[in-house]
Tab-separated table of all heavy atoms in Angstrom:
chain	number	residue	atom	x	y	z
A	1	MET	N	-9.651	5.081	8.860
A	1	MET	CA	-9.045	5.284	7.540
A	1	MET	C	-10.111	5.100	6.453
A	1	MET	O	-10.930	4.187	6.536
A	1	MET	CB	-7.913	4.279	7.323
A	1	MET	CG	-7.089	4.587	6.088
A	1	MET	SD	-5.832	3.331	5.798
A	1	MET	CE	-4.763	3.609	7.229
A	2	LYS	N	-10.088	5.932	5.471
A	2	LYS	CA	-11.060	5.823	4.383
A	2	LYS	C	-10.797	4.602	3.522
A	2	LYS	O	-9.649	4.241	3.275
A	2	LYS	CB	-10.988	7.072	3.486
A	2	LYS	CG	-11.724	8.261	4.052
A	2	LYS	CD	-11.790	9.370	3.033
A	2	LYS	CE	-12.558	10.549	3.583
A	2	LYS	NZ	-12.562	11.676	2.665
A	3	GLU	N	-11.877	3.997	3.089
A	3	GLU	CA	-11.772	2.868	2.170
A	3	GLU	C	-11.597	3.424	0.761
A	3	GLU	O	-12.326	4.327	0.345
A	3	GLU	CB	-13.052	2.029	2.256
A	3	GLU	CG	-12.952	0.697	1.553
A	3	GLU	CD	-12.021	-0.276	2.265
A	3	GLU	OE1	-11.794	-0.126	3.480
A	3	GLU	OE2	-11.520	-1.178	1.596
A	4	ILE	N	-10.631	2.906	0.054
A	4	ILE	CA	-10.397	3.392	-1.309
A	4	ILE	C	-10.849	2.320	-2.290
A	4	ILE	O	-10.400	1.174	-2.228
A	4	ILE	CB	-8.911	3.732	-1.510
A	4	ILE	CG1	-8.555	4.911	-0.612
A	4	ILE	CG2	-8.622	4.054	-2.975
A	4	ILE	CD1	-7.084	5.215	-0.552
A	5	LYS	N	-11.754	2.692	-3.138
A	5	LYS	CA	-12.275	1.747	-4.126
A	5	LYS	C	-11.600	1.991	-5.474
A	5	LYS	O	-11.562	3.109	-5.963
A	5	LYS	CB	-13.783	1.942	-4.295
A	5	LYS	CG	-14.549	1.522	-3.061
A	5	LYS	CD	-15.126	0.116	-3.248
A	5	LYS	CE	-15.954	-0.262	-2.035
A	5	LYS	NZ	-15.668	-1.582	-1.546
A	6	ILE	N	-11.091	0.938	-6.037
A	6	ILE	CA	-10.498	1.047	-7.364
A	6	ILE	C	-11.354	0.237	-8.314
A	6	ILE	O	-11.512	-0.975	-8.148
A	6	ILE	CB	-9.039	0.560	-7.343
A	6	ILE	CG1	-8.224	1.491	-6.440
A	6	ILE	CG2	-8.463	0.559	-8.755
A	6	ILE	CD1	-6.951	0.903	-5.950
A	7	GLU	N	-11.959	0.908	-9.252
A	7	GLU	CA	-12.912	0.257	-10.146
A	7	GLU	C	-12.220	-0.568	-11.228
A	7	GLU	O	-12.607	-1.687	-11.516
A	7	GLU	CB	-13.816	1.302	-10.807
A	7	GLU	CG	-14.665	2.098	-9.815
A	7	GLU	CD	-15.709	1.235	-9.110
A	7	GLU	OE1	-16.145	0.247	-9.717
A	7	GLU	OE2	-16.066	1.556	-7.966
A	8	GLU	N	-11.228	0.027	-11.826
A	8	GLU	CA	-10.534	-0.726	-12.867
A	8	GLU	C	-9.080	-0.279	-12.979
A	8	GLU	O	-8.712	0.820	-12.580
A	8	GLU	CB	-11.239	-0.587	-14.211
A	8	GLU	CG	-11.236	0.804	-14.787
A	8	GLU	CD	-11.953	0.856	-16.138
A	8	GLU	OE1	-12.983	0.164	-16.293
A	8	GLU	OE2	-11.471	1.575	-17.015
A	9	CYS	N	-8.281	-1.169	-13.519
A	9	CYS	CA	-6.862	-0.871	-13.685
A	9	CYS	C	-6.689	0.276	-14.679
A	9	CYS	O	-7.223	0.218	-15.790
A	9	CYS	CB	-6.151	-2.122	-14.197
A	9	CYS	SG	-4.413	-1.843	-14.571
A	10	PRO	N	-5.969	1.335	-14.287
A	10	PRO	CA	-5.774	2.450	-15.208
A	10	PRO	C	-4.842	2.120	-16.374
A	10	PRO	O	-4.744	2.878	-17.327
A	10	PRO	CB	-5.153	3.543	-14.314
A	10	PRO	CG	-4.552	2.811	-13.178
A	10	PRO	CD	-5.360	1.558	-12.979
A	11	TYR	N	-4.181	0.985	-16.290
A	11	TYR	CA	-3.201	0.629	-17.321
A	11	TYR	C	-3.770	-0.322	-18.363
A	11	TYR	O	-3.496	-0.198	-19.550
A	11	TYR	CB	-1.959	0.022	-16.669
A	11	TYR	CG	-1.403	0.921	-15.600
A	11	TYR	CD1	-1.593	0.638	-14.251
A	11	TYR	CD2	-0.724	2.094	-15.950
A	11	TYR	CE1	-1.115	1.489	-13.264
A	11	TYR	CE2	-0.244	2.947	-14.976
A	11	TYR	CZ	-0.439	2.644	-13.642
A	11	TYR	OH	0.013	3.491	-12.680
A	12	CYS	N	-4.573	-1.312	-17.909
A	12	CYS	CA	-5.092	-2.285	-18.870
A	12	CYS	C	-6.612	-2.411	-18.835
A	12	CYS	O	-7.193	-3.084	-19.666
A	12	CYS	CB	-4.434	-3.642	-18.654
A	12	CYS	SG	-5.061	-4.520	-17.204
A	13	GLY	N	-7.273	-1.765	-17.854
A	13	GLY	CA	-8.731	-1.769	-17.811
A	13	GLY	C	-9.344	-2.983	-17.136
A	13	GLY	O	-10.559	-3.088	-17.040
A	14	ALA	N	-8.520	-3.904	-16.643
A	14	ALA	CA	-9.058	-5.091	-15.972
A	14	ALA	C	-9.696	-4.701	-14.638
A	14	ALA	O	-9.383	-3.660	-14.064
A	14	ALA	CB	-7.947	-6.104	-15.752
A	15	LYS	N	-10.605	-5.564	-14.172
A	15	LYS	CA	-11.309	-5.253	-12.927
A	15	LYS	C	-11.069	-6.301	-11.857
A	15	LYS	O	-11.846	-6.445	-10.933
A	15	LYS	CB	-12.808	-5.121	-13.216
A	15	LYS	CG	-13.095	-3.919	-14.099
A	15	LYS	CD	-14.553	-3.783	-14.445
A	15	LYS	CE	-14.742	-2.530	-15.288
A	15	LYS	NZ	-16.083	-2.431	-15.847
A	16	ASP	N	-10.022	-7.031	-11.989
A	16	ASP	CA	-9.724	-8.098	-11.048
A	16	ASP	C	-8.433	-7.763	-10.310
A	16	ASP	O	-7.366	-7.663	-10.923
A	16	ASP	CB	-9.583	-9.415	-11.826
A	16	ASP	CG	-9.846	-10.620	-10.948
A	16	ASP	OD1	-10.264	-10.428	-9.778
A	16	ASP	OD2	-9.629	-11.738	-11.422
A	17	PHE	N	-8.551	-7.561	-9.007
A	17	PHE	CA	-7.388	-7.139	-8.229
A	17	PHE	C	-7.106	-8.104	-7.095
A	17	PHE	O	-7.978	-8.837	-6.643
A	17	PHE	CB	-7.626	-5.752	-7.630
A	17	PHE	CG	-7.840	-4.696	-8.672
A	17	PHE	CD1	-9.124	-4.244	-8.945
A	17	PHE	CD2	-6.781	-4.172	-9.371
A	17	PHE	CE1	-9.335	-3.287	-9.908
A	17	PHE	CE2	-6.985	-3.209	-10.342
A	17	PHE	CZ	-8.259	-2.766	-10.610
A	18	THR	N	-5.903	-8.063	-6.626
A	18	THR	CA	-5.526	-8.776	-5.423
A	18	THR	C	-4.690	-7.821	-4.582
A	18	THR	O	-4.220	-6.797	-5.074
A	18	THR	CB	-4.754	-10.070	-5.751
A	18	THR	OG1	-4.585	-10.816	-4.551
A	18	THR	CG2	-3.402	-9.786	-6.378
A	19	THR	N	-4.525	-8.132	-3.306
A	19	THR	CA	-3.694	-7.259	-2.494
A	19	THR	C	-2.446	-7.996	-2.047
A	19	THR	O	-2.467	-9.218	-1.853
A	19	THR	CB	-4.447	-6.749	-1.239
A	19	THR	OG1	-4.960	-7.859	-0.538
A	19	THR	CG2	-5.572	-5.815	-1.628
A	20	GLY	N	-1.375	-7.271	-1.914
A	20	GLY	CA	-0.129	-7.832	-1.425
A	20	GLY	C	0.413	-6.933	-0.337
A	20	GLY	O	0.135	-5.742	-0.317
A	21	HIS	N	1.165	-7.523	0.571
A	21	HIS	CA	1.736	-6.745	1.658
A	21	HIS	C	3.248	-6.809	1.607
A	21	HIS	O	3.822	-7.844	1.303
A	21	HIS	CB	1.239	-7.253	3.015
A	21	HIS	CG	-0.226	-7.028	3.191
A	21	HIS	ND1	-1.155	-7.969	2.845
A	21	HIS	CD2	-0.910	-5.950	3.635
A	21	HIS	CE1	-2.368	-7.483	3.097
A	21	HIS	NE2	-2.253	-6.266	3.574
A	22	GLN	N	3.832	-5.693	1.907
A	22	GLN	CA	5.278	-5.572	1.838
A	22	GLN	C	5.805	-5.225	3.224
A	22	GLN	O	5.371	-4.260	3.839
A	22	GLN	CB	5.618	-4.461	0.843
A	22	GLN	CG	7.054	-4.406	0.430
A	22	GLN	CD	7.234	-3.395	-0.698
A	22	GLN	OE1	6.341	-3.113	-1.461
A	22	GLN	NE2	8.407	-2.825	-0.768
A	23	TYR	N	6.715	-6.061	3.716
A	23	TYR	CA	7.203	-5.882	5.078
A	23	TYR	C	8.721	-5.730	5.093
A	23	TYR	O	9.373	-5.756	4.064
A	23	TYR	CB	6.834	-7.095	5.941
A	23	TYR	CG	5.361	-7.249	6.150
A	23	TYR	CD1	4.636	-8.168	5.402
A	23	TYR	CD2	4.691	-6.472	7.091
A	23	TYR	CE1	3.270	-8.319	5.600
A	23	TYR	CE2	3.334	-6.607	7.287
A	23	TYR	CZ	2.625	-7.538	6.549
A	23	TYR	OH	1.287	-7.685	6.725
A	24	ALA	N	9.236	-5.660	6.298
A	24	ALA	CA	10.665	-5.705	6.561
A	24	ALA	C	11.424	-4.664	5.759
A	24	ALA	O	11.142	-3.487	5.872
A	24	ALA	CB	11.200	-7.108	6.322
A	25	GLN	N	12.311	-5.118	4.892
A	25	GLN	CA	13.183	-4.158	4.229
A	25	GLN	C	12.444	-3.296	3.220
A	25	GLN	O	12.957	-2.288	2.767
A	25	GLN	CB	14.338	-4.891	3.553
A	25	GLN	CG	15.284	-5.441	4.591
A	25	GLN	CD	16.244	-6.455	4.032
A	25	GLN	OE1	16.214	-6.740	2.851
A	25	GLN	NE2	17.075	-6.995	4.884
A	26	GLY	N	11.242	-3.715	2.882
A	26	GLY	CA	10.451	-2.913	1.965
A	26	GLY	C	9.602	-1.863	2.655
A	26	GLY	O	8.865	-1.155	2.008
A	27	CYS	N	9.729	-1.755	3.964
A	27	CYS	CA	8.914	-0.779	4.682
A	27	CYS	C	9.237	0.645	4.242
A	27	CYS	O	10.377	0.968	3.927
A	27	CYS	CB	9.149	-0.869	6.186
A	27	CYS	SG	8.161	-2.128	6.976
A	28	VAL	N	8.229	1.451	4.258
A	28	VAL	CA	8.427	2.870	4.022
A	28	VAL	C	8.468	3.565	5.369
A	28	VAL	O	7.664	3.263	6.253
A	28	VAL	CB	7.264	3.426	3.169
A	28	VAL	CG1	7.309	4.939	3.149
A	28	VAL	CG2	7.354	2.881	1.775
A	29	TYR	N	9.397	4.470	5.522
A	29	TYR	CA	9.549	5.153	6.793
A	29	TYR	C	9.230	6.632	6.657
A	29	TYR	O	9.547	7.248	5.643
A	29	TYR	CB	10.992	5.002	7.309
A	29	TYR	CG	11.303	3.570	7.650
A	29	TYR	CD1	11.824	2.715	6.688
A	29	TYR	CD2	11.043	3.074	8.916
A	29	TYR	CE1	12.084	1.389	6.986
A	29	TYR	CE2	11.303	1.745	9.223
A	29	TYR	CZ	11.828	0.912	8.265
A	29	TYR	OH	12.080	-0.403	8.553
A	30	PRO	N	8.621	7.170	7.700
A	30	PRO	CA	8.429	8.620	7.704
A	30	PRO	C	9.764	9.302	7.941
A	30	PRO	O	10.776	8.637	8.191
A	30	PRO	CB	7.475	8.846	8.871
A	30	PRO	CG	7.709	7.686	9.787
A	30	PRO	CD	8.103	6.524	8.907
A	31	GLU	N	9.782	10.590	7.900
A	31	GLU	CA	11.056	11.298	7.988
A	31	GLU	C	11.731	11.139	9.340
A	31	GLU	O	12.940	11.124	9.440
A	31	GLU	CB	10.855	12.782	7.679
A	31	GLU	CG	10.650	12.996	6.184
A	31	GLU	CD	10.582	14.460	5.831
A	31	GLU	OE1	11.196	15.270	6.538
A	31	GLU	OE2	9.899	14.784	4.856
A	32	LEU	N	10.921	11.022	10.381
A	32	LEU	CA	11.503	10.791	11.703
A	32	LEU	C	12.234	9.467	11.699
A	32	LEU	O	11.678	8.445	11.311
A	32	LEU	CB	10.404	10.748	12.765
A	32	LEU	CG	9.980	12.092	13.339
A	32	LEU	CD1	8.757	11.896	14.220
A	32	LEU	CD2	11.097	12.720	14.131
A	33	TRP	N	13.465	9.463	12.164
A	33	TRP	CA	14.264	8.254	12.109
A	33	TRP	C	13.935	7.351	13.267
A	33	TRP	O	13.736	7.782	14.381
A	33	TRP	CB	15.740	8.624	12.149
A	33	TRP	CG	16.609	7.441	11.891
A	33	TRP	CD1	17.013	6.984	10.690
A	33	TRP	CD2	17.169	6.567	12.878
A	33	TRP	NE1	17.781	5.863	10.864
A	33	TRP	CE2	17.895	5.590	12.173
A	33	TRP	CE3	17.110	6.518	14.268
A	33	TRP	CZ2	18.578	4.570	12.838
A	33	TRP	CZ3	17.782	5.494	14.926
A	33	TRP	CH2	18.509	4.534	14.209
A	34	GLY	N	13.857	6.077	13.044
A	34	GLY	CA	13.650	5.141	14.140
A	34	GLY	C	13.167	3.811	13.617
A	34	GLY	O	12.331	3.748	12.725
A	35	LEU	N	13.682	2.739	14.199
A	35	LEU	CA	13.350	1.413	13.699
A	35	LEU	C	11.881	1.061	13.886
A	35	LEU	O	11.330	0.285	13.140
A	35	LEU	CB	14.202	0.369	14.428
A	35	LEU	CG	15.647	0.270	13.963
A	35	LEU	CD1	16.407	-0.711	14.840
A	35	LEU	CD2	15.712	-0.166	12.505
A	36	ARG	N	11.258	1.607	14.902
A	36	ARG	CA	9.890	1.224	15.198
A	36	ARG	C	8.868	2.140	14.542
A	36	ARG	O	7.691	2.038	14.788
A	36	ARG	CB	9.663	1.218	16.715
A	36	ARG	CG	10.425	0.106	17.382
A	36	ARG	CD	10.194	0.085	18.866
A	36	ARG	NE	10.733	-1.159	19.424
A	36	ARG	CZ	10.009	-2.260	19.563
A	36	ARG	NH1	8.755	-2.280	19.213
A	36	ARG	NH2	10.553	-3.339	20.066
A	37	LEU	N	9.329	3.006	13.706
A	37	LEU	CA	8.405	3.963	13.107
A	37	LEU	C	7.871	3.513	11.752
A	37	LEU	O	6.985	4.126	11.203
A	37	LEU	CB	9.091	5.330	12.933
A	37	LEU	CG	9.323	6.087	14.236
A	37	LEU	CD1	10.136	7.340	13.958
A	37	LEU	CD2	8.014	6.442	14.898
A	38	GLY	N	8.433	2.442	11.237
A	38	GLY	CA	8.031	2.048	9.889
A	38	GLY	C	6.660	1.422	9.845
A	38	GLY	O	6.103	1.020	10.857
A	39	SER	N	6.119	1.338	8.662
A	39	SER	CA	4.831	0.698	8.479
A	39	SER	C	4.899	-0.247	7.294
A	39	SER	O	5.512	0.072	6.281
A	39	SER	CB	3.760	1.750	8.193
A	39	SER	OG	2.571	1.123	7.765
A	40	PRO	N	4.248	-1.401	7.422
A	40	PRO	CA	4.111	-2.244	6.228
A	40	PRO	C	3.287	-1.516	5.172
A	40	PRO	O	2.513	-0.607	5.495
A	40	PRO	CB	3.355	-3.472	6.745
A	40	PRO	CG	3.509	-3.445	8.227
A	40	PRO	CD	3.643	-2.002	8.603
A	41	ILE	N	3.445	-1.922	3.945
A	41	ILE	CA	2.720	-1.308	2.842
A	41	ILE	C	1.752	-2.329	2.264
A	41	ILE	O	2.093	-3.509	2.124
A	41	ILE	CB	3.696	-0.876	1.730
A	41	ILE	CG1	4.793	-0.003	2.303
A	41	ILE	CG2	2.952	-0.130	0.615
A	41	ILE	CD1	5.936	0.180	1.350
A	42	GLU	N	0.562	-1.865	1.955
A	42	GLU	CA	-0.407	-2.719	1.284
A	42	GLU	C	-0.521	-2.264	-0.166
A	42	GLU	O	-0.798	-1.096	-0.431
A	42	GLU	CB	-1.765	-2.615	1.975
A	42	GLU	CG	-2.806	-3.510	1.339
A	42	GLU	CD	-4.152	-3.337	2.019
A	42	GLU	OE1	-4.859	-2.368	1.684
A	42	GLU	OE2	-4.474	-4.146	2.884
A	43	HIS	N	-0.311	-3.186	-1.064
A	43	HIS	CA	-0.414	-2.875	-2.488
A	43	HIS	C	-1.678	-3.503	-3.063
A	43	HIS	O	-2.020	-4.631	-2.709
A	43	HIS	CB	0.766	-3.465	-3.262
A	43	HIS	CG	2.086	-2.890	-2.888
A	43	HIS	ND1	2.401	-1.561	-3.051
A	43	HIS	CD2	3.184	-3.471	-2.365
A	43	HIS	CE1	3.650	-1.369	-2.645
A	43	HIS	NE2	4.141	-2.496	-2.217
A	44	THR	N	-2.316	-2.776	-3.938
A	44	THR	CA	-3.408	-3.357	-4.725
A	44	THR	C	-2.838	-3.635	-6.109
A	44	THR	O	-2.326	-2.733	-6.777
A	44	THR	CB	-4.598	-2.383	-4.822
A	44	THR	OG1	-5.054	-2.108	-3.497
A	44	THR	CG2	-5.732	-3.009	-5.630
A	45	ILE	N	-2.907	-4.907	-6.488
A	45	ILE	CA	-2.212	-5.340	-7.700
A	45	ILE	C	-3.220	-5.833	-8.730
A	45	ILE	O	-4.107	-6.624	-8.414
A	45	ILE	CB	-1.236	-6.482	-7.342
A	45	ILE	CG1	-0.218	-5.982	-6.308
A	45	ILE	CG2	-0.526	-6.998	-8.594
A	45	ILE	CD1	0.375	-7.087	-5.468
A	46	CYS	N	-3.084	-5.373	-9.933
A	46	CYS	CA	-3.925	-5.833	-11.030
A	46	CYS	C	-3.545	-7.265	-11.389
A	46	CYS	O	-2.373	-7.561	-11.626
A	46	CYS	CB	-3.721	-4.917	-12.242
A	46	CYS	SG	-4.573	-5.516	-13.713
A	47	LYS	N	-4.542	-8.140	-11.388
A	47	LYS	CA	-4.261	-9.543	-11.699
A	47	LYS	C	-3.984	-9.758	-13.175
A	47	LYS	O	-3.469	-10.795	-13.576
A	47	LYS	CB	-5.454	-10.409	-11.295
A	47	LYS	CG	-5.516	-10.733	-9.820
A	47	LYS	CD	-6.611	-11.754	-9.581
A	47	LYS	CE	-6.647	-12.237	-8.148
A	47	LYS	NZ	-7.752	-13.205	-7.965
A	48	GLU	N	-4.373	-8.812	-13.978
A	48	GLU	CA	-4.225	-8.976	-15.422
A	48	GLU	C	-2.822	-8.594	-15.894
A	48	GLU	O	-2.173	-9.338	-16.604
A	48	GLU	CB	-5.280	-8.122	-16.135
A	48	GLU	CG	-5.402	-8.385	-17.620
A	48	GLU	CD	-5.893	-9.798	-17.930
A	48	GLU	OE1	-6.668	-10.354	-17.130
A	48	GLU	OE2	-5.476	-10.338	-18.962
A	49	CYS	N	-2.367	-7.415	-15.480
A	49	CYS	CA	-1.072	-6.937	-16.000
A	49	CYS	C	-0.002	-6.840	-14.913
A	49	CYS	O	1.154	-6.570	-15.211
A	49	CYS	CB	-1.242	-5.594	-16.705
A	49	CYS	SG	-1.613	-4.225	-15.600
A	50	GLY	N	-0.390	-7.042	-13.650
A	50	GLY	CA	0.600	-7.038	-12.577
A	50	GLY	C	0.987	-5.664	-12.082
A	50	GLY	O	1.840	-5.534	-11.199
A	51	SER	N	0.362	-4.632	-12.595
A	51	SER	CA	0.686	-3.285	-12.136
A	51	SER	C	0.212	-3.076	-10.713
A	51	SER	O	-0.851	-3.579	-10.323
A	51	SER	CB	0.003	-2.243	-13.033
A	51	SER	OG	0.514	-2.298	-14.328
A	52	ILE	N	0.990	-2.350	-9.943
A	52	ILE	CA	0.534	-1.905	-8.624
A	52	ILE	C	-0.268	-0.635	-8.854
A	52	ILE	O	0.287	0.397	-9.239
A	52	ILE	CB	1.717	-1.656	-7.681
A	52	ILE	CG1	2.454	-2.972	-7.433
A	52	ILE	CG2	1.236	-1.047	-6.381
A	52	ILE	CD1	3.756	-2.805	-6.667
A	53	VAL	N	-1.574	-0.745	-8.695
A	53	VAL	CA	-2.426	0.392	-9.024
A	53	VAL	C	-2.636	1.312	-7.826
A	53	VAL	O	-3.030	2.457	-7.974
A	53	VAL	CB	-3.791	-0.052	-9.591
A	53	VAL	CG1	-3.594	-0.759	-10.917
A	53	VAL	CG2	-4.525	-0.958	-8.617
A	54	HIS	N	-2.356	0.795	-6.632
A	54	HIS	CA	-2.491	1.634	-5.449
A	54	HIS	C	-1.629	1.054	-4.346
A	54	HIS	O	-1.514	-0.154	-4.215
A	54	HIS	CB	-3.958	1.684	-4.999
A	54	HIS	CG	-4.156	2.551	-3.799
A	54	HIS	ND1	-4.344	2.053	-2.531
A	54	HIS	CD2	-4.172	3.891	-3.683
A	54	HIS	CE1	-4.457	3.060	-1.690
A	54	HIS	NE2	-4.366	4.184	-2.354
A	55	SER	N	-1.011	1.927	-3.576
A	55	SER	CA	-0.235	1.487	-2.415
A	55	SER	C	-0.576	2.388	-1.241
A	55	SER	O	-0.841	3.568	-1.419
A	55	SER	CB	1.272	1.600	-2.686
A	55	SER	OG	1.637	0.827	-3.787
A	56	ARG	N	-0.569	1.825	-0.057
A	56	ARG	CA	-0.768	2.654	1.122
A	56	ARG	C	0.001	2.068	2.286
A	56	ARG	O	0.287	0.864	2.321
A	56	ARG	CB	-2.253	2.758	1.472
A	56	ARG	CG	-2.850	1.437	1.885
A	56	ARG	CD	-4.264	1.593	2.386
A	56	ARG	NE	-4.685	0.344	3.009
A	56	ARG	CZ	-5.601	0.249	3.972
A	56	ARG	NH1	-6.218	1.327	4.392
A	56	ARG	NH2	-5.917	-0.906	4.492
A	57	VAL	N	0.329	2.931	3.235
A	57	VAL	CA	0.933	2.439	4.466
A	57	VAL	C	-0.194	1.977	5.371
A	57	VAL	O	-1.268	2.584	5.409
A	57	VAL	CB	1.794	3.509	5.168
A	57	VAL	CG1	3.022	3.829	4.337
A	57	VAL	CG2	0.997	4.754	5.479
A	58	ILE	N	0.014	0.874	6.082
A	58	ILE	CA	-1.029	0.333	6.939
A	58	ILE	C	-1.100	1.107	8.249
A	58	ILE	O	-2.166	1.405	8.753
A	58	ILE	CB	-0.782	-1.165	7.174
A	58	ILE	CG1	-0.999	-1.897	5.845
A	58	ILE	CG2	-1.714	-1.719	8.251
A	58	ILE	CD1	-0.578	-3.345	5.852
A	59	LYS	N	0.047	1.447	8.781
A	59	LYS	CA	0.057	2.177	10.064
A	59	LYS	C	0.154	3.664	9.792
A	59	LYS	O	1.179	4.309	10.028
A	59	LYS	CB	1.228	1.698	10.920
A	59	LYS	CG	1.082	0.236	11.318
A	59	LYS	CD	2.273	-0.217	12.118
A	59	LYS	CE	2.172	-1.698	12.440
A	59	LYS	NZ	3.404	-2.196	13.065
A	60	LEU	N	-0.932	4.181	9.280
A	60	LEU	CA	-0.957	5.589	8.893
A	60	LEU	C	-0.660	6.512	10.054
A	60	LEU	O	-0.069	7.571	9.882
A	60	LEU	CB	-2.321	5.911	8.283
A	60	LEU	CG	-2.533	7.332	7.783
A	60	LEU	CD1	-1.520	7.668	6.684
A	60	LEU	CD2	-3.948	7.512	7.265
A	61	GLU	N	-1.072	6.116	11.259
A	61	GLU	CA	-0.879	6.987	12.416
A	61	GLU	C	0.589	7.310	12.666
A	61	GLU	O	0.921	8.316	13.264
A	61	GLU	CB	-1.500	6.361	13.675
A	61	GLU	CG	-0.812	5.100	14.181
A	61	GLU	CD	-1.253	3.818	13.454
A	61	GLU	OE1	-2.035	3.921	12.488
A	61	GLU	OE2	-0.811	2.741	13.862
A	62	LYS	N	1.484	6.456	12.156
A	62	LYS	CA	2.907	6.719	12.354
A	62	LYS	C	3.396	7.905	11.541
A	62	LYS	O	4.499	8.413	11.747
A	62	LYS	CB	3.719	5.484	11.953
A	62	LYS	CG	3.296	4.245	12.701
A	62	LYS	CD	4.434	3.603	13.428
A	62	LYS	CE	3.944	2.393	14.195
A	62	LYS	NZ	4.915	1.966	15.185
A	63	PHE	N	2.607	8.324	10.599
A	63	PHE	CA	3.010	9.429	9.740
A	63	PHE	C	2.315	10.732	10.108
A	63	PHE	O	2.498	11.739	9.459
A	63	PHE	CB	2.704	9.087	8.272
A	63	PHE	CG	3.594	7.989	7.737
A	63	PHE	CD1	3.313	6.665	8.013
A	63	PHE	CD2	4.730	8.291	7.003
A	63	PHE	CE1	4.125	5.644	7.538
A	63	PHE	CE2	5.544	7.283	6.524
A	63	PHE	CZ	5.252	5.962	6.795
A	64	LYS	N	1.482	10.681	11.131
A	64	LYS	CA	0.724	11.876	11.485
A	64	LYS	C	1.391	12.654	12.600
A	64	LYS	O	2.170	12.110	13.347
A	64	LYS	CB	-0.702	11.496	11.861
A	64	LYS	CG	-1.467	11.031	10.648
A	64	LYS	CD	-2.911	10.724	10.996
A	64	LYS	CE	-3.687	10.408	9.729
A	64	LYS	NZ	-5.081	10.027	9.997
B	101	ZN	ZN1	-3.867	-3.985	-15.325
């Protein structure tokens, strides 16, 4: 998987980020139905304004 670099927050211009992970009921599912098909989501969150500046599914292969 490609590494995505985020230089600064597009909303407030801050350069300090943290990552958060979203599991369970917050999982995003591909169109194929099935309990085991979901993937946790990783969010990159701006520490200054709290905006989620980037989100991705961790188990990308489930969507391919
Ligand atoms: Zn921000």
Side-chain angles (χ1 to χ4, degrees):
M1 190 184 293
K2 280 189 179 176
E3 191 70 23
I4 294 171
K5 291 261 183 227
I6 296 160
E7 298 293 331
E8 65 180 38
C9 175
Y11 307 104
C12 75
K15 294 178 178 171
D16 204 7
F17 299 102
T18 188
T19 53
H21 294 92
Q22 193 172 333
Y23 294 101
Q25 289 166 1
C27 276
V28 169
Y29 294 90
E31 285 186 29
L32 274 172
W33 189 87
L35 283 175
R36 291 181 169 269
L37 288 174
S39 169
I41 307 167
E42 181 182 81
H43 296 298
T44 300
I45 300 155
C46 173
K47 280 188 174 179
E48 190 65 31
C49 70
S51 295
I52 296 172
V53 295
H54 181 256
S55 301
R56 65 173 191 153
V57 293
I58 292 171
K59 295 178 184 172
L60 181 60
E61 68 277 5
K62 304 236 178 196
F63 291 81
K64 290 183 174 177

